[in-house]
Amino acid sequence: MSIQDLIINRRSIKKFEQDSHFEDAKIQQAIELAAYAPNHGMREPWRVIWVKKDRLPAYGRLFAEVNFKNDSAKGQAFIDMAAKLGGILIIAGPVDRRQKQRLEDLLAVGGYMQTLSLLLFDAGIGSCIKTPASLTEPKFNEALGIHDHEMIHGLVYLTELPEETAGKPRKNINLISEF
């Protein structure tokens, strides 16, 4: 598939009904190749915490405990859904106190995550980037080994691709203005 086709046809897959299983080698290759995404000053301000298939129930319980403390039904529904995923990639990285470097790091992480999504799609793996409020919860961060000088940028859920992933027309067609 050409890079243009990948960009046009990749979609965030938000249905997690099917039990997903993927070869670790495909996921690892996507993680490693995504590191070639452009980033400012070759800082590569990311690291990946890979929650593999066998660890998803434990992760689901942690997430449910942090996010659904007062709603056990929602918590159990999340645990059940998480167990169907093919894995979760947690993208974390340093927080630079310098404003310019922090902005550059955030842009670089966005480029990494988009490149990762394209590579996963090319490998036949569906993905969806999630940014729940619990990314900043101390208990969640501590359990995931997030250091004091780091933050979680997002979660990448890995799931089956639907049979159709045709591109959708974009709303923002007037991207260019002239100076």
Side-chain angles (χ1 to χ4, degrees), residues 70-89:
N70 301 321
D71 193 335
S72 61
K74 280 187 180 179
Q76 188 59 51
F78 181 85
I79 293 166
D80 295 342
M81 180 280 298
K84 291 179 182 176
L85 295 172
I88 297 174
L89 305 176

mmCIF file of all heavy atoms in Angstrom, residues 70-89:
data_model
loop_
_atom_site.group_PDB
_atom_site.id
_atom_site.type_symbol
_atom_site.label_atom_id
_atom_site.label_comp_id
_atom_site.label_asym_id
_atom_site.label_seq_id
_atom_site.Cartn_x
_atom_site.Cartn_y
_atom_site.Cartn_z
ATOM 1 N N ASN A 70 -16.743 4.319 41.772
ATOM 2 C CA ASN A 70 -18.098 4.245 42.320
ATOM 3 C C ASN A 70 -19.086 3.555 41.389
ATOM 4 O O ASN A 70 -20.291 3.634 41.614
ATOM 5 C CB ASN A 70 -18.605 5.655 42.635
ATOM 6 C CG ASN A 70 -17.702 6.351 43.643
ATOM 7 O OD1 ASN A 70 -17.226 5.723 44.578
ATOM 8 N ND2 ASN A 70 -17.448 7.629 43.429
ATOM 9 N N ASP A 71 -18.595 2.905 40.359
ATOM 10 C CA ASP A 71 -19.501 2.241 39.414
ATOM 11 C C ASP A 71 -18.899 0.908 38.988
ATOM 12 O O ASP A 71 -18.198 0.807 37.985
ATOM 13 C CB ASP A 71 -19.735 3.143 38.197
ATOM 14 C CG ASP A 71 -20.888 2.674 37.330
ATOM 15 O OD1 ASP A 71 -21.204 1.464 37.353
ATOM 16 O OD2 ASP A 71 -21.463 3.512 36.611
ATOM 17 N N SER A 72 -19.180 -0.115 39.772
ATOM 18 C CA SER A 72 -18.578 -1.423 39.518
ATOM 19 C C SER A 72 -19.030 -2.021 38.195
ATOM 20 O O SER A 72 -18.278 -2.760 37.557
ATOM 21 C CB SER A 72 -18.864 -2.384 40.674
ATOM 22 O OG SER A 72 -20.256 -2.572 40.817
ATOM 23 N N ALA A 73 -20.239 -1.695 37.744
ATOM 24 C CA ALA A 73 -20.713 -2.225 36.459
ATOM 25 C C ALA A 73 -19.885 -1.659 35.312
ATOM 26 O O ALA A 73 -19.466 -2.396 34.408
ATOM 27 C CB ALA A 73 -22.190 -1.908 36.261
ATOM 28 N N LYS A 74 -19.627 -0.343 35.331
ATOM 29 C CA LYS A 74 -18.788 0.260 34.296
ATOM 30 C C LYS A 74 -17.362 -0.266 34.382
ATOM 31 O O LYS A 74 -16.705 -0.489 33.376
ATOM 32 C CB LYS A 74 -18.784 1.791 34.416
ATOM 33 C CG LYS A 74 -19.986 2.452 33.820
ATOM 34 C CD LYS A 74 -19.828 3.964 33.826
ATOM 35 C CE LYS A 74 -21.045 4.635 33.216
ATOM 36 N NZ LYS A 74 -20.926 6.098 33.244
ATOM 37 N N GLY A 75 -16.895 -0.451 35.596
ATOM 38 C CA GLY A 75 -15.552 -0.990 35.792
ATOM 39 C C GLY A 75 -15.419 -2.383 35.199
ATOM 40 O O GLY A 75 -14.452 -2.678 34.494
ATOM 41 N N GLN A 76 -16.395 -3.233 35.463
ATOM 42 C CA GLN A 76 -16.354 -4.597 34.923
ATOM 43 C C GLN A 76 -16.485 -4.588 33.399
ATOM 44 O O GLN A 76 -15.816 -5.366 32.709
ATOM 45 C CB GLN A 76 -17.446 -5.467 35.543
ATOM 46 C CG GLN A 76 -17.327 -6.930 35.164
ATOM 47 C CD GLN A 76 -15.986 -7.536 35.593
ATOM 48 O OE1 GLN A 76 -15.568 -7.426 36.737
ATOM 49 N NE2 GLN A 76 -15.296 -8.176 34.648
ATOM 50 N N ALA A 77 -17.298 -3.685 32.878
ATOM 51 C CA ALA A 77 -17.447 -3.582 31.419
ATOM 52 C C ALA A 77 -16.107 -3.190 30.786
ATOM 53 O O ALA A 77 -15.740 -3.717 29.732
ATOM 54 C CB ALA A 77 -18.525 -2.565 31.060
ATOM 55 N N PHE A 78 -15.371 -2.288 31.455
ATOM 56 C CA PHE A 78 -14.065 -1.911 30.919
ATOM 57 C C PHE A 78 -13.098 -3.095 30.980
ATOM 58 O O PHE A 78 -12.366 -3.347 30.025
ATOM 59 C CB PHE A 78 -13.458 -0.710 31.650
ATOM 60 C CG PHE A 78 -12.140 -0.329 31.065
ATOM 61 C CD1 PHE A 78 -12.071 0.505 29.971
ATOM 62 C CD2 PHE A 78 -10.955 -0.872 31.560
ATOM 63 C CE1 PHE A 78 -10.850 0.813 29.382
ATOM 64 C CE2 PHE A 78 -9.734 -0.575 30.988
ATOM 65 C CZ PHE A 78 -9.683 0.281 29.895
ATOM 66 N N ILE A 79 -13.064 -3.798 32.080
ATOM 67 C CA ILE A 79 -12.177 -4.956 32.231
ATOM 68 C C ILE A 79 -12.459 -5.974 31.130
ATOM 69 O O ILE A 79 -11.537 -6.495 30.492
ATOM 70 C CB ILE A 79 -12.337 -5.593 33.630
ATOM 71 C CG1 ILE A 79 -11.816 -4.634 34.705
ATOM 72 C CG2 ILE A 79 -11.615 -6.940 33.703
ATOM 73 C CD1 ILE A 79 -12.217 -5.008 36.126
ATOM 74 N N ASP A 80 -13.738 -6.238 30.870
ATOM 75 C CA ASP A 80 -14.118 -7.187 29.822
ATOM 76 C C ASP A 80 -13.690 -6.694 28.446
ATOM 77 O O ASP A 80 -13.192 -7.463 27.626
ATOM 78 C CB ASP A 80 -15.630 -7.435 29.844
ATOM 79 C CG ASP A 80 -16.099 -8.119 31.127
ATOM 80 O OD1 ASP A 80 -15.255 -8.704 31.854
ATOM 81 O OD2 ASP A 80 -17.309 -8.056 31.421
ATOM 82 N N MET A 81 -13.875 -5.400 28.188
ATOM 83 C CA MET A 81 -13.479 -4.828 26.898
ATOM 84 C C MET A 81 -11.966 -4.885 26.735
ATOM 85 O O MET A 81 -11.453 -5.285 25.686
ATOM 86 C CB MET A 81 -13.962 -3.375 26.803
ATOM 87 C CG MET A 81 -13.621 -2.671 25.499
ATOM 88 S SD MET A 81 -11.923 -2.030 25.328
ATOM 89 C CE MET A 81 -11.841 -0.843 26.653
ATOM 90 N N ALA A 82 -11.229 -4.499 27.757
ATOM 91 C CA ALA A 82 -9.763 -4.469 27.674
ATOM 92 C C ALA A 82 -9.197 -5.849 27.372
ATOM 93 O O ALA A 82 -8.231 -5.978 26.623
ATOM 94 C CB ALA A 82 -9.165 -3.914 28.969
ATOM 95 N N ALA A 83 -9.804 -6.877 27.929
ATOM 96 C CA ALA A 83 -9.316 -8.247 27.708
ATOM 97 C C ALA A 83 -9.444 -8.681 26.253
ATOM 98 O O ALA A 83 -8.738 -9.580 25.809
ATOM 99 C CB ALA A 83 -10.062 -9.216 28.620
ATOM 100 N N LYS A 84 -10.319 -8.023 25.499
ATOM 101 C CA LYS A 84 -10.499 -8.361 24.083
ATOM 102 C C LYS A 84 -9.462 -7.681 23.184
ATOM 103 O O LYS A 84 -9.296 -8.083 22.034
ATOM 104 C CB LYS A 84 -11.906 -7.964 23.625
ATOM 105 C CG LYS A 84 -12.987 -8.807 24.247
ATOM 106 C CD LYS A 84 -14.349 -8.353 23.778
ATOM 107 C CE LYS A 84 -15.435 -9.174 24.455
ATOM 108 N NZ LYS A 84 -16.758 -8.694 24.081
ATOM 109 N N LEU A 85 -8.814 -6.658 23.679
ATOM 110 C CA LEU A 85 -7.812 -5.963 22.869
ATOM 111 C C LEU A 85 -6.641 -6.889 22.569
ATOM 112 O O LEU A 85 -6.427 -7.880 23.263
ATOM 113 C CB LEU A 85 -7.315 -4.711 23.599
ATOM 114 C CG LEU A 85 -8.343 -3.605 23.823
ATOM 115 C CD1 LEU A 85 -7.758 -2.520 24.727
ATOM 116 C CD2 LEU A 85 -8.811 -3.016 22.505
ATOM 117 N N GLY A 86 -5.869 -6.523 21.575
ATOM 118 C CA GLY A 86 -4.655 -7.274 21.252
ATOM 119 C C GLY A 86 -3.459 -6.760 22.020
ATOM 120 O O GLY A 86 -2.364 -7.309 21.932
ATOM 121 N N GLY A 87 -3.655 -5.701 22.786
ATOM 122 C CA GLY A 87 -2.606 -5.082 23.575
ATOM 123 C C GLY A 87 -2.874 -3.596 23.703
ATOM 124 O O GLY A 87 -3.791 -3.062 23.060
ATOM 125 N N ILE A 88 -2.094 -2.953 24.530
ATOM 126 C CA ILE A 88 -2.157 -1.497 24.683
ATOM 127 C C ILE A 88 -0.728 -0.992 24.715
ATOM 128 O O ILE A 88 0.129 -1.564 25.392
ATOM 129 C CB ILE A 88 -2.891 -1.080 25.986
ATOM 130 C CG1 ILE A 88 -4.344 -1.555 25.953
ATOM 131 C CG2 ILE A 88 -2.818 0.436 26.187
ATOM 132 C CD1 ILE A 88 -5.106 -1.329 27.248
ATOM 133 N N LEU A 89 -0.483 0.068 23.976
ATOM 134 C CA LEU A 89 0.817 0.732 24.000
ATOM 135 C C LEU A 89 0.632 2.070 24.709
ATOM 136 O O LEU A 89 -0.174 2.897 24.276
ATOM 137 C CB LEU A 89 1.338 0.943 22.572
ATOM 138 C CG LEU A 89 1.424 -0.327 21.717
ATOM 139 C CD1 LEU A 89 1.857 0.015 20.303
ATOM 140 C CD2 LEU A 89 2.350 -1.350 22.352
#
